mmCIF file of all heavy atoms in Angstrom:
data_model
loop_
_atom_site.group_PDB
_atom_site.id
_atom_site.type_symbol
_atom_site.label_atom_id
_atom_site.label_comp_id
_atom_site.label_asym_id
_atom_site.label_seq_id
_atom_site.Cartn_x
_atom_site.Cartn_y
_atom_site.Cartn_z
ATOM 1 N N LEU A 24 92.539 105.934 109.217
ATOM 2 C CA LEU A 24 92.971 105.455 107.943
ATOM 3 C C LEU A 24 92.290 104.195 107.388
ATOM 4 O O LEU A 24 92.301 103.209 108.111
ATOM 5 C CB LEU A 24 94.659 105.235 107.981
ATOM 6 C CG LEU A 24 95.122 104.746 106.628
ATOM 7 C CD1 LEU A 24 95.179 105.780 105.651
ATOM 8 C CD2 LEU A 24 96.611 104.242 106.928
ATOM 9 N N LEU A 25 91.747 104.372 106.257
ATOM 10 C CA LEU A 25 91.078 103.199 105.623
ATOM 11 C C LEU A 25 92.054 102.348 104.651
ATOM 12 O O LEU A 25 92.172 101.184 104.592
ATOM 13 C CB LEU A 25 89.801 103.470 104.812
ATOM 14 C CG LEU A 25 88.564 103.826 105.629
ATOM 15 C CD1 LEU A 25 87.415 104.133 104.714
ATOM 16 C CD2 LEU A 25 88.211 102.562 106.507
ATOM 17 N N LYS A 26 92.719 103.281 103.796
ATOM 18 C CA LYS A 26 93.559 102.698 102.741
ATOM 19 C C LYS A 26 94.604 103.712 102.345
ATOM 20 O O LYS A 26 94.328 104.884 102.164
ATOM 21 C CB LYS A 26 92.662 102.367 101.482
ATOM 22 C CG LYS A 26 93.426 101.776 100.356
ATOM 23 C CD LYS A 26 93.708 100.280 100.621
ATOM 24 C CE LYS A 26 94.218 99.729 99.270
ATOM 25 N NZ LYS A 26 94.755 98.359 99.497
ATOM 26 N N GLU A 27 95.810 103.219 102.090
ATOM 27 C CA GLU A 27 96.885 103.976 101.447
ATOM 28 C C GLU A 27 96.893 103.571 99.984
ATOM 29 O O GLU A 27 96.957 102.375 99.713
ATOM 30 C CB GLU A 27 98.228 103.663 101.993
ATOM 31 C CG GLU A 27 98.574 104.252 103.369
ATOM 32 C CD GLU A 27 99.967 104.037 103.624
ATOM 33 O OE1 GLU A 27 100.695 103.133 103.169
ATOM 34 O OE2 GLU A 27 100.470 104.825 104.637
ATOM 35 N N VAL A 28 96.604 104.540 99.103
ATOM 36 C CA VAL A 28 96.525 104.305 97.547
ATOM 37 C C VAL A 28 97.838 104.640 97.086
ATOM 38 O O VAL A 28 98.353 105.690 97.179
ATOM 39 C CB VAL A 28 95.397 105.027 97.018
ATOM 40 C CG1 VAL A 28 95.406 104.706 95.514
ATOM 41 C CG2 VAL A 28 94.066 104.688 97.608
ATOM 42 N N ARG A 29 98.568 103.589 96.571
ATOM 43 C CA ARG A 29 99.967 103.824 96.045
ATOM 44 C C ARG A 29 100.102 103.312 94.638
ATOM 45 O O ARG A 29 99.179 102.580 94.098
ATOM 46 C CB ARG A 29 100.883 102.894 96.819
ATOM 47 C CG ARG A 29 100.950 103.357 98.271
ATOM 48 C CD ARG A 29 102.000 102.588 99.086
ATOM 49 N NE ARG A 29 102.214 103.168 100.326
ATOM 50 C CZ ARG A 29 103.190 104.057 100.621
ATOM 51 N NH1 ARG A 29 103.866 104.641 99.686
ATOM 52 N NH2 ARG A 29 103.263 104.470 101.967
ATOM 53 N N HIS A 30 101.002 103.749 93.845
ATOM 54 C CA HIS A 30 101.265 103.402 92.483
ATOM 55 C C HIS A 30 102.744 103.071 92.328
ATOM 56 O O HIS A 30 103.659 103.791 92.846
ATOM 57 C CB HIS A 30 101.015 104.736 91.729
ATOM 58 C CG HIS A 30 101.295 104.534 90.221
ATOM 59 N ND1 HIS A 30 100.551 103.748 89.349
ATOM 60 C CD2 HIS A 30 102.245 105.166 89.423
ATOM 61 C CE1 HIS A 30 101.093 103.732 88.172
ATOM 62 N NE2 HIS A 30 102.103 104.472 88.172
ATOM 63 N N THR A 31 102.920 101.984 91.688
ATOM 64 C CA THR A 31 104.346 101.614 91.494
ATOM 65 C C THR A 31 105.017 102.193 90.208
ATOM 66 O O THR A 31 104.384 102.167 89.265
ATOM 67 C CB THR A 31 104.332 100.020 91.322
ATOM 68 O OG1 THR A 31 103.759 99.438 92.489
ATOM 69 C CG2 THR A 31 105.820 99.436 91.159
ATOM 70 N N VAL A 32 106.180 102.738 90.501
ATOM 71 C CA VAL A 32 106.853 103.484 89.458
ATOM 72 C C VAL A 32 108.262 102.681 89.364
ATOM 73 O O VAL A 32 108.722 102.255 90.380
ATOM 74 C CB VAL A 32 107.032 104.770 89.485
ATOM 75 C CG1 VAL A 32 105.729 105.643 89.496
ATOM 76 C CG2 VAL A 32 107.768 105.262 90.840
ATOM 77 N N PHE A 33 108.899 102.685 88.275
ATOM 78 C CA PHE A 33 110.213 102.072 88.177
ATOM 79 C C PHE A 33 111.172 103.277 87.779
ATOM 80 O O PHE A 33 110.980 103.999 86.841
ATOM 81 C CB PHE A 33 110.153 101.079 86.986
ATOM 82 C CG PHE A 33 109.437 99.857 87.370
ATOM 83 C CD1 PHE A 33 107.997 99.674 86.951
ATOM 84 C CD2 PHE A 33 109.981 98.867 88.040
ATOM 85 C CE1 PHE A 33 107.296 98.627 87.294
ATOM 86 C CE2 PHE A 33 109.209 97.748 88.451
ATOM 87 C CZ PHE A 33 107.842 97.638 88.023
ATOM 88 N N LYS A 34 112.231 103.319 88.711
ATOM 89 C CA LYS A 34 113.301 104.271 88.505
ATOM 90 C C LYS A 34 114.579 103.626 88.870
ATOM 91 O O LYS A 34 114.796 102.945 89.761
ATOM 92 C CB LYS A 34 112.978 105.362 89.561
ATOM 93 C CG LYS A 34 113.937 106.562 89.397
ATOM 94 C CD LYS A 34 113.377 107.716 90.333
ATOM 95 C CE LYS A 34 114.189 108.898 90.142
ATOM 96 N NZ LYS A 34 113.722 109.990 91.067
ATOM 97 N N ASN A 35 115.483 103.772 87.919
ATOM 98 C CA ASN A 35 116.809 103.102 88.064
ATOM 99 C C ASN A 35 116.815 101.656 88.215
ATOM 100 O O ASN A 35 117.348 101.063 89.014
ATOM 101 C CB ASN A 35 117.683 103.796 89.212
ATOM 102 C CG ASN A 35 117.908 105.288 89.052
ATOM 103 O OD1 ASN A 35 117.950 105.771 87.776
ATOM 104 N ND2 ASN A 35 117.939 106.032 90.094
ATOM 105 N N ASN A 36 115.885 101.091 87.367
ATOM 106 C CA ASN A 36 115.629 99.557 87.445
ATOM 107 C C ASN A 36 115.130 99.092 88.801
ATOM 108 O O ASN A 36 115.338 97.790 89.107
ATOM 109 C CB ASN A 36 116.866 98.828 87.040
ATOM 110 C CG ASN A 36 117.072 99.027 85.574
ATOM 111 O OD1 ASN A 36 116.263 99.252 84.750
ATOM 112 N ND2 ASN A 36 118.438 99.093 85.193
ATOM 113 N N LYS A 37 114.587 99.919 89.609
ATOM 114 C CA LYS A 37 114.043 99.567 90.875
ATOM 115 C C LYS A 37 112.550 100.071 90.990
ATOM 116 O O LYS A 37 112.210 101.038 90.559
ATOM 117 C CB LYS A 37 114.751 100.203 92.085
ATOM 118 C CG LYS A 37 116.237 99.667 92.158
ATOM 119 C CD LYS A 37 116.888 100.316 93.359
ATOM 120 C CE LYS A 37 118.260 99.964 93.512
ATOM 121 N NZ LYS A 37 119.058 100.635 94.581
ATOM 122 N N SER A 38 111.742 99.193 91.513
ATOM 123 C CA SER A 38 110.359 99.663 91.794
ATOM 124 C C SER A 38 110.145 100.305 93.053
ATOM 125 O O SER A 38 110.826 100.056 94.063
ATOM 126 C CB SER A 38 109.440 98.465 91.806
ATOM 127 O OG SER A 38 109.611 97.618 92.824
ATOM 128 N N HIS A 39 109.348 101.494 93.019
ATOM 129 C CA HIS A 39 109.046 102.263 94.152
ATOM 130 C C HIS A 39 107.521 102.403 94.165
ATOM 131 O O HIS A 39 106.912 102.646 93.247
ATOM 132 C CB HIS A 39 109.701 103.771 93.976
ATOM 133 C CG HIS A 39 111.236 103.706 93.894
ATOM 134 N ND1 HIS A 39 112.024 103.639 94.937
ATOM 135 C CD2 HIS A 39 112.006 103.765 92.849
ATOM 136 C CE1 HIS A 39 113.239 103.690 94.554
ATOM 137 N NE2 HIS A 39 113.307 103.745 93.201
ATOM 138 N N ASN A 40 107.062 102.275 95.447
ATOM 139 C CA ASN A 40 105.601 102.514 95.703
ATOM 140 C C ASN A 40 105.387 103.843 96.181
ATOM 141 O O ASN A 40 105.643 104.286 97.289
ATOM 142 C CB ASN A 40 105.115 101.432 96.673
ATOM 143 C CG ASN A 40 105.024 100.181 96.183
ATOM 144 O OD1 ASN A 40 104.715 99.903 94.990
ATOM 145 N ND2 ASN A 40 105.313 99.181 97.018
ATOM 146 N N LYS A 41 104.929 104.740 95.235
ATOM 147 C CA LYS A 41 104.712 106.193 95.551
ATOM 148 C C LYS A 41 103.250 106.356 96.091
ATOM 149 O O LYS A 41 102.189 105.828 95.610
ATOM 150 C CB LYS A 41 104.873 107.033 94.313
ATOM 151 C CG LYS A 41 106.217 106.981 93.683
ATOM 152 C CD LYS A 41 107.032 107.792 94.498
ATOM 153 C CE LYS A 41 108.475 107.957 93.771
ATOM 154 N NZ LYS A 41 109.439 108.659 94.441
ATOM 155 N N LEU A 42 103.118 107.114 97.229
ATOM 156 C CA LEU A 42 101.808 107.251 97.864
ATOM 157 C C LEU A 42 101.121 108.379 97.078
ATOM 158 O O LEU A 42 101.663 109.425 96.773
ATOM 159 C CB LEU A 42 102.045 107.756 99.226
ATOM 160 C CG LEU A 42 100.824 108.133 100.024
ATOM 161 C CD1 LEU A 42 99.942 106.861 100.281
ATOM 162 C CD2 LEU A 42 101.049 108.738 101.321
ATOM 163 N N LEU A 43 99.921 108.039 96.563
ATOM 164 C CA LEU A 43 99.056 108.842 95.824
ATOM 165 C C LEU A 43 98.277 109.672 96.742
ATOM 166 O O LEU A 43 98.098 110.926 96.788
ATOM 167 C CB LEU A 43 98.198 108.211 94.836
ATOM 168 C CG LEU A 43 98.983 107.541 93.656
ATOM 169 C CD1 LEU A 43 98.046 106.853 92.703
ATOM 170 C CD2 LEU A 43 99.769 108.520 92.921
ATOM 171 N N PHE A 44 97.494 109.022 97.596
ATOM 172 C CA PHE A 44 96.684 109.587 98.685
ATOM 173 C C PHE A 44 96.240 108.576 99.638
ATOM 174 O O PHE A 44 96.373 107.419 99.434
ATOM 175 C CB PHE A 44 95.422 110.302 98.094
ATOM 176 C CG PHE A 44 94.426 109.324 97.234
ATOM 177 C CD1 PHE A 44 93.446 108.607 97.933
ATOM 178 C CD2 PHE A 44 94.652 109.073 95.870
ATOM 179 C CE1 PHE A 44 92.597 107.793 97.256
ATOM 180 C CE2 PHE A 44 93.814 108.088 95.260
ATOM 181 C CZ PHE A 44 92.688 107.571 95.885
ATOM 182 N N ASN A 45 95.648 109.036 100.796
ATOM 183 C CA ASN A 45 95.118 108.270 101.749
ATOM 184 C C ASN A 45 93.613 108.371 101.779
ATOM 185 O O ASN A 45 93.001 109.448 101.503
ATOM 186 C CB ASN A 45 95.554 108.568 103.223
ATOM 187 C CG ASN A 45 97.121 108.193 103.357
ATOM 188 O OD1 ASN A 45 97.526 107.108 102.968
ATOM 189 N ND2 ASN A 45 97.926 109.060 104.076
ATOM 190 N N LEU A 46 92.900 107.267 102.019
ATOM 191 C CA LEU A 46 91.414 107.375 102.103
ATOM 192 C C LEU A 46 91.219 107.258 103.644
ATOM 193 O O LEU A 46 91.555 106.308 104.298
ATOM 194 C CB LEU A 46 90.833 106.134 101.402
ATOM 195 C CG LEU A 46 89.249 106.153 101.432
ATOM 196 C CD1 LEU A 46 88.701 107.397 100.833
ATOM 197 C CD2 LEU A 46 88.753 104.902 100.706
ATOM 198 N N LEU A 47 90.610 108.291 104.199
ATOM 199 C CA LEU A 47 90.318 108.331 105.635
ATOM 200 C C LEU A 47 88.790 108.363 105.906
ATOM 201 O O LEU A 47 87.956 108.654 105.012
ATOM 202 C CB LEU A 47 90.908 109.721 106.233
ATOM 203 C CG LEU A 47 92.365 110.079 105.876
ATOM 204 C CD1 LEU A 47 92.669 111.414 106.474
ATOM 205 C CD2 LEU A 47 93.167 109.006 106.558
ATOM 206 N N ILE A 48 88.449 108.007 107.121
ATOM 207 C CA ILE A 48 87.030 107.940 107.492
ATOM 208 C C ILE A 48 86.895 108.728 108.768
ATOM 209 O O ILE A 48 87.737 108.637 109.738
ATOM 210 C CB ILE A 48 86.556 106.485 107.598
ATOM 211 C CG1 ILE A 48 85.022 106.471 107.875
ATOM 212 C CG2 ILE A 48 87.277 105.752 108.792
ATOM 213 C CD1 ILE A 48 84.201 106.669 106.666
ATOM 214 N N LYS A 49 85.978 109.638 108.818
ATOM 215 C CA LYS A 49 85.520 110.396 110.030
ATOM 216 C C LYS A 49 84.120 109.860 110.378
ATOM 217 O O LYS A 49 83.520 109.037 109.566
ATOM 218 C CB LYS A 49 85.519 111.839 109.857
ATOM 219 C CG LYS A 49 86.995 112.501 109.987
ATOM 220 C CD LYS A 49 87.039 113.913 109.705
ATOM 221 C CE LYS A 49 86.055 114.730 110.528
ATOM 222 N NZ LYS A 49 86.268 116.196 110.255
ATOM 223 N N GLU A 50 83.577 110.348 111.499
ATOM 224 C CA GLU A 50 82.250 109.776 111.830
ATOM 225 C C GLU A 50 81.249 109.892 110.831
ATOM 226 O O GLU A 50 80.431 108.848 110.662
ATOM 227 C CB GLU A 50 81.845 110.504 113.159
ATOM 228 C CG GLU A 50 80.556 109.783 113.726
ATOM 229 C CD GLU A 50 80.226 110.182 115.118
ATOM 230 O OE1 GLU A 50 81.106 110.828 115.814
ATOM 231 O OE2 GLU A 50 79.156 109.665 115.550
ATOM 232 N N GLU A 51 81.111 110.871 110.030
ATOM 233 C CA GLU A 51 80.041 110.957 108.980
ATOM 234 C C GLU A 51 80.662 111.441 107.587
ATOM 235 O O GLU A 51 79.991 112.122 106.885
ATOM 236 C CB GLU A 51 78.925 111.952 109.362
ATOM 237 C CG GLU A 51 78.060 111.330 110.551
ATOM 238 C CD GLU A 51 76.861 112.227 110.716
ATOM 239 O OE1 GLU A 51 76.652 113.193 110.137
ATOM 240 O OE2 GLU A 51 75.926 111.656 111.633
ATOM 241 N N ALA A 52 81.959 111.159 107.444
ATOM 242 C CA ALA A 52 82.507 111.672 106.230
ATOM 243 C C ALA A 52 83.671 110.769 105.696
ATOM 244 O O ALA A 52 84.507 110.208 106.511
ATOM 245 C CB ALA A 52 83.132 113.033 106.456
ATOM 246 N N LEU A 53 83.703 110.526 104.387
ATOM 247 C CA LEU A 53 84.848 109.915 103.690
ATOM 248 C C LEU A 53 85.767 111.031 103.167
ATOM 249 O O LEU A 53 85.296 111.935 102.525
ATOM 250 C CB LEU A 53 84.469 109.020 102.512
ATOM 251 C CG LEU A 53 83.783 107.728 102.902
ATOM 252 C CD1 LEU A 53 83.046 107.197 101.785
ATOM 253 C CD2 LEU A 53 84.854 106.741 103.426
ATOM 254 N N LEU A 54 87.090 110.959 103.507
ATOM 255 C CA LEU A 54 88.047 111.973 103.145
ATOM 256 C C LEU A 54 89.135 111.443 102.136
ATOM 257 O O LEU A 54 89.612 110.274 102.442
ATOM 258 C CB LEU A 54 88.690 112.562 104.350
ATOM 259 C CG LEU A 54 87.704 113.164 105.442
ATOM 260 C CD1 LEU A 54 88.543 113.483 106.681
ATOM 261 C CD2 LEU A 54 87.095 114.370 104.916
ATOM 262 N N ILE A 55 89.650 112.205 101.296
ATOM 263 C CA ILE A 55 90.842 111.941 100.636
ATOM 264 C C ILE A 55 91.856 112.846 101.196
ATOM 265 O O ILE A 55 91.656 114.097 101.159
ATOM 266 C CB ILE A 55 90.643 112.160 99.008
ATOM 267 C CG1 ILE A 55 89.691 111.188 98.488
ATOM 268 C CG2 ILE A 55 91.993 112.170 98.318
ATOM 269 C CD1 ILE A 55 89.382 111.474 96.999
ATOM 270 N N SER A 56 93.021 112.316 101.544
ATOM 271 C CA SER A 56 94.171 113.158 102.158
ATOM 272 C C SER A 56 95.258 113.028 101.192
ATOM 273 O O SER A 56 95.859 111.921 101.026
ATOM 274 C CB SER A 56 94.405 112.666 103.516
ATOM 275 O OG SER A 56 95.530 113.427 104.096
ATOM 276 N N ALA A 57 95.667 114.206 100.773
ATOM 277 C CA ALA A 57 96.812 114.145 99.753
ATOM 278 C C ALA A 57 97.837 115.273 100.173
ATOM 279 O O ALA A 57 97.376 116.277 100.772
ATOM 280 C CB ALA A 57 96.333 114.395 98.384
ATOM 281 N N LYS A 58 99.096 115.006 99.992
ATOM 282 C CA LYS A 58 100.135 115.974 100.385
ATOM 283 C C LYS A 58 100.853 116.465 99.090
ATOM 284 O O LYS A 58 101.369 115.642 98.347
ATOM 285 C CB LYS A 58 101.168 115.419 101.336
ATOM 286 C CG LYS A 58 102.092 116.403 101.842
ATOM 287 C CD LYS A 58 102.880 115.761 103.031
ATOM 288 C CE LYS A 58 103.930 116.693 103.603
ATOM 289 N NZ LYS A 58 104.829 117.240 102.737
ATOM 290 N N CYS A 59 100.831 117.735 98.852
ATOM 291 C CA CYS A 59 101.597 118.343 97.791
ATOM 292 C C CYS A 59 102.985 118.476 98.206
ATOM 293 O O CYS A 59 103.336 118.667 99.269
ATOM 294 C CB CYS A 59 100.920 119.604 97.377
ATOM 295 S SG CYS A 59 99.306 119.491 96.977
ATOM 296 N N ARG A 60 103.844 118.751 97.134
ATOM 297 C CA ARG A 60 105.257 118.844 97.389
ATOM 298 C C ARG A 60 105.688 119.989 98.343
ATOM 299 O O ARG A 60 106.426 119.952 99.189
ATOM 300 C CB ARG A 60 106.011 118.894 96.119
ATOM 301 C CG ARG A 60 106.256 117.614 95.488
ATOM 302 C CD ARG A 60 107.122 117.779 94.135
ATOM 303 N NE ARG A 60 106.974 116.647 93.407
ATOM 304 C CZ ARG A 60 108.004 116.144 92.678
ATOM 305 N NH1 ARG A 60 109.103 116.787 92.794
ATOM 306 N NH2 ARG A 60 107.853 115.059 92.173
ATOM 307 N N ASP A 61 105.058 121.101 98.027
ATOM 308 C CA ASP A 61 105.466 122.296 98.600
ATOM 309 C C ASP A 61 104.552 122.725 99.855
ATOM 310 O O ASP A 61 104.713 123.838 100.380
ATOM 311 C CB ASP A 61 105.430 123.517 97.635
ATOM 312 C CG ASP A 61 106.494 123.355 96.589
ATOM 313 O OD1 ASP A 61 107.488 122.612 96.759
ATOM 314 O OD2 ASP A 61 106.189 123.856 95.478
ATOM 315 N N VAL A 62 103.799 121.775 100.276
ATOM 316 C CA VAL A 62 102.821 121.994 101.353
ATOM 317 C C VAL A 62 103.229 121.084 102.658
ATOM 318 O O VAL A 62 103.517 119.975 102.404
ATOM 319 C CB VAL A 62 101.384 121.817 100.957
ATOM 320 C CG1 VAL A 62 100.409 121.957 102.097
ATOM 321 C CG2 VAL A 62 100.970 122.569 99.835
ATOM 322 N N ALA A 63 103.303 121.859 103.740
ATOM 323 C CA ALA A 63 103.748 120.996 104.928
ATOM 324 C C ALA A 63 102.734 120.000 105.479
ATOM 325 O O ALA A 63 103.087 118.862 105.722
ATOM 326 C CB ALA A 63 104.070 122.037 106.004
ATOM 327 N N GLU A 64 101.472 120.445 105.408
ATOM 328 C CA GLU A 64 100.312 119.528 105.915
ATOM 329 C C GLU A 64 99.604 118.991 104.772
ATOM 330 O O GLU A 64 99.428 119.586 103.808
ATOM 331 C CB GLU A 64 99.524 120.289 106.851
ATOM 332 C CG GLU A 64 100.185 120.816 108.073
ATOM 333 C CD GLU A 64 100.531 119.654 109.023
ATOM 334 O OE1 GLU A 64 99.774 118.768 109.188
ATOM 335 O OE2 GLU A 64 101.685 119.739 109.589
ATOM 336 N N PRO A 65 99.093 117.710 104.933
ATOM 337 C CA PRO A 65 98.191 117.101 103.975
ATOM 338 C C PRO A 65 96.884 117.875 103.756
ATOM 339 O O PRO A 65 96.483 118.539 104.685
ATOM 340 C CB PRO A 65 97.885 115.784 104.533
ATOM 341 C CG PRO A 65 98.906 115.434 105.576
ATOM 342 C CD PRO A 65 99.239 116.792 106.018
ATOM 343 N N ILE A 66 96.334 117.790 102.635
ATOM 344 C CA ILE A 66 94.993 118.486 102.370
ATOM 345 C C ILE A 66 93.975 117.337 102.394
ATOM 346 O O ILE A 66 93.931 116.410 101.749
ATOM 347 C CB ILE A 66 95.019 119.186 100.974
ATOM 348 C CG1 ILE A 66 96.182 120.312 100.981
ATOM 349 C CG2 ILE A 66 93.681 119.694 100.732
ATOM 350 C CD1 ILE A 66 96.440 120.802 99.635
ATOM 351 N N ASN A 67 92.912 117.629 103.233
ATOM 352 C CA ASN A 67 91.881 116.694 103.400
ATOM 353 C C ASN A 67 90.669 117.137 102.594
ATOM 354 O O ASN A 67 90.261 118.311 102.857
ATOM 355 C CB ASN A 67 91.538 116.515 104.873
ATOM 356 C CG ASN A 67 92.571 115.783 105.597
ATOM 357 O OD1 ASN A 67 93.343 115.021 105.078
ATOM 358 N ND2 ASN A 67 92.585 116.044 106.908
ATOM 359 N N ILE A 68 90.136 116.374 101.714
ATOM 360 C CA ILE A 68 89.004 116.732 100.884
ATOM 361 C C ILE A 68 87.863 115.770 101.245
ATOM 362 O O ILE A 68 88.029 114.586 101.057
ATOM 363 C CB ILE A 68 89.407 116.641 99.403
ATOM 364 C CG1 ILE A 68 90.576 117.440 99.102
ATOM 365 C CG2 ILE A 68 88.240 116.954 98.520
ATOM 366 C CD1 ILE A 68 91.403 116.974 97.872
#
């Protein structure tokens, strides 16, 4: 994991940090990892 990219949203007068995606690093690749609502495992791009 290099970075969790989050976005702050306000709901019911409270701030929530929603995870948008993770930036991952492999030996020779940069990956974006995102999880959709109806999918069990994250999708790595």
Side-chain angles (χ1 to χ4, degrees):
L24 178 66
L25 284 180
K26 179 79 176 170
E27 285 185 340
V28 179
R29 296 184 172 272
H30 176 68
T31 302
V32 294
F33 293 94
K34 189 175 184 179
N35 299 329
N36 294 325
K37 295 181 183 176
S38 67
H39 300 276
N40 288 324
K41 299 286 184 177
L42 179 65
L43 296 176
F44 61 89
N45 288 323
L46 185 60
L47 305 175
I48 188 78
K49 281 178 52 174
E50 189 164 352
E51 290 189 357
L53 283 167
L54 306 170
I55 293 175
S56 179
K58 187 172 180 297
C59 303
R60 281 184 195 216
D61 298 332
V62 179
E64 295 294 318
I66 299 167
N67 293 333
I68 304 158

